[in-house]
Amino acid sequence: MSASSIGAGRAGGYARYLDGRTIAPEQGDYYLTPDGELTEAPGRWLSDPETLARLGIDPDAPVAGADFIALMEGRHPGSGGWLRPAGADGSRGGGIDVTFSAPKSVSVVWALGDPWQREQIEAAHAKAVERSMEYLKDRVPVVRRRYSGQVVEEQAKDVIATAYRHTTARGVSGAQAPDPQLHTHVVISGAVREDDRIVAVASRPVFRGLREVGAFYRSALAQELAGEGYPIEQGTGKDGKYFEIAGVPVGLRDAFSNRHREIAKAAERFRARHGRAPERGEIRDIALENRRAKDLSTRGDLQRVWARTGDRHGFGADEAVHLVGAPLPASPERSIEERIEARLVEREAVFDAGLLRAVAMEQTAGELGPEDALGVTRAMVGERRILTLEGGRMTTL
């Protein structure tokens, strides 16, 4: 999961949808064509019906380009009046793009499986994104208010958010076609306070909560996929934070990760030039600087290239179908609580509640749903396996 801030001045650029076969590379050329035509997948509203009614928007209709631009600029889509006040410098922030990206094996099965599997995986991904946005609203204080000179962060009553699903990664030099990568961009352009006032979204709490909300998304996605019969492999990737569908060849996952390798190489060049690793904001800049427009390709072109890659690794539609109902990987030897404790204190003895929740969801993907994983953390605190210290910090017994 990743996030980036979008300035209000770039709202028009961010209102152009890129479906993998059009326009030139620019930051933000993602969502609608220049004329506002919906192409690959219609944008969906993720706000409460009451919020959309205030904005004069039909919650069941796809996102219109003009409405998207108005909200990014802080205006009412119908009247054009300002919805939220300007900041101290007179500007109005556009919003935040929060991107939920499925593990590579999920994208591989989506790309090479039968049509019914594609629909099944898209539905599981969409449900996981919706659940994660509800979690973000409940957990992440995206509203900043000032009381007697003190700035306080609070949860929003609702957020103004639109979701756009994409299915390919950016193309890289020398590749025949972009890799399959199922992901959804959720653009949050405003927040509704408890007093019903619409305000700008505070970006820092969103950035701080990325790991926790990302862990919730992957846990919810694993739960949805496991419910459809897919075997889930836990503890994959860096620091064991991720999951994969068991049975998808590792070599094939790597073959469809060209974009990831390109960014990694750019980060190595940064390290060689500056003598240090890039920080979070610099990593985002590297990713944007090295993006190429998705190549001019039809879906048939993509499928033929993807199928040839799958054939080289012995994986195609038949193998994808046979994953459903396949035997589950062996269960971990240690208990859930022991796994959570071990991961929490790998590097430091003290952590915060957000990390506790994130690790619990990461360590139980496909085994427990996110709500049940969070229940485990509450029990661990209640049983004093996890101790609360001064200042809200925590440690293990």
Side-chain angles (χ1 to χ4, degrees), residues 71-201:
L71 290 168
M72 289 284 287
E73 293 176 341
R75 297 181 181 274
H76 190 287
S79 69
W82 294 114
L83 283 171
R84 43 189 167 86
D89 61 356
S91 65
R92 290 174 172 85
I96 301 175
D97 179 340
V98 180
T99 304
F100 297 89
S101 191
K104 182 57 70 176
S105 59
V106 178
S107 295
V108 170
V109 177
W110 173 89
L112 300 181
D114 274 2
W116 64 266
Q117 286 182 287
R118 177 168 292 176
E119 293 180 6
Q120 185 184 64
I121 289 172
E122 287 175 358
H125 169 71
K127 182 66 174 176
V129 170
E130 290 174 6
R131 293 170 64 186
S132 301
M133 285 304 298
E134 288 297 322
Y135 186 76
L136 183 148
K137 284 194 292 185
D138 289 341
R139 285 286 185 184
V140 180
V142 298
V143 171
R144 298 178 80 246
R145 299 186 70 174
R146 187 177 294 275
Y147 297 95
S148 302
Q150 296 278 6
V151 175
V152 178
E153 295 177 344
E154 300 177 345
Q155 267 73 30
K157 184 177 180 180
D158 192 21
V159 294
I160 302 171
T162 50
Y164 298 87
R165 188 187 69 227
H166 283 203
T167 55
T168 62
R170 283 280 174 168
V172 300
S173 300
Q176 289 182 289
D179 295 328
Q181 187 58 53
L182 179 63
H183 61 286
T184 291
H185 295 268
V186 175
V187 182
I188 308 173
S189 54
V192 182
R193 293 193 330 199
E194 283 299 324
D195 60 2
D196 288 329
R197 187 174 182 179
I198 293 175
V199 296
V201 179

Side-chain angles (χ1 to χ4, degrees), residues 232-266:
I232 301 299
E233 178 186 358
Q234 298 174 342
T236 66
K238 183 180 179 181
D239 298 327
K241 293 190 293 188
Y242 305 102
F243 80 88
E244 301 289 351
I245 295 178
V248 177
V250 175
L252 179 56
R253 286 166 18 203
D254 291 343
F256 278 138
S257 299
N258 289 300
R259 175 70 180 149
H260 175 78
R261 283 193 294 274
E262 184 180 58
I263 295 173
K265 290 177 181 177

Side-chain angles (χ1 to χ4, degrees), residues 31 36 46 65 75 81 87 94 107 109 112 128 144 162 218 230 261 274 290 304 340 361 381:
Y31 305 117
L46 294 183
R75 297 181 181 274
S107 295
V109 177
L112 300 181
R144 298 178 80 246
T162 50
R218 292 188 299 275
Y230 290 95
R261 283 193 294 274
H274 299 282
N290 287 274
R304 283 187 285 274
I340 293 172
M361 291 184 283
V381 173

